[in-house]
Amino acid sequence: MGVTVTDDRQSGVDDAASPFRRRLLEGLDASINERGYRDTTVADIVRHARTSKRTFYGEFSSKEDCFIDLLRTNNEEMIKRIRRAVDPEADWQQQIRQAVAAYVEHIASRPAITLTWIREAPALGAVAQPLHRLAMSAFTDMLVDLSDSPGFRRAHIPPITPPLALIIVGGLRELTALYVEDGEDVHGITEAAVTASTAILGMARSNVRRAGA
């Protein structure tokens, strides 16, 4: 407890950020793991970051501003991790499993941040709305891109539509939140996520077959 995360890949902190900004984001990350977002103060963040409030306010206007940036960088790292894990030449069902496994491993490494993204961020209201829209758009775009690969084309499966991709993302977020809230091992969502995603994408293949009949 209370140890600042220093691995940028695991913390999801943007490599392009200034050193002080990275430390502050890592400080917030560590405090959320220690006491939760609501009870975290700017003093907690700078304590973990081993810096000052003056430095904090040189980078962020408020705790909420820092929080939103932390969630943004975490979401970006999650998407990068999933894209890296998927082999576009693999069988389409294997690609789905690769994507789900990468998602689950990221969540397992950062459950507290994930839960705050799903449960706490909406409470910020309008200030967090752009983050939410950007995140959902980025995740759905990723699913559309991943389903437009050689492995899917060999199976005559068209790229998933954005509305269907959004259904997958929304359902997976809620299932993830329930597992984390209940203290369950998030690896337990793997088979349900794979089954649901395979069914939705497989339905697209069935529609193509019927259209060609």
Side-chain angles (χ1 to χ4, degrees), residues 94-145:
Q94 182 61 26
Q95 288 188 51
I96 290 173
R97 187 166 290 277
Q98 290 169 344
V100 170
Y103 169 82
V104 170
E105 288 304 321
H106 185 91
I107 298 305
S109 70
R110 314 196 73 223
I113 297 300
T114 300
L115 191 59
T116 57
W117 171 46
I118 298 172
R119 296 297 195 229
E120 302 282 359
L124 298 179
V127 68
Q129 186 62 22
L131 169 73
H132 178 71
R133 294 292 296 268
L134 180 64
M136 298 307 282
S137 177
F139 277 101
T140 55
D141 287 348
M142 177 192 67
L143 292 182
V144 172
D145 289 345

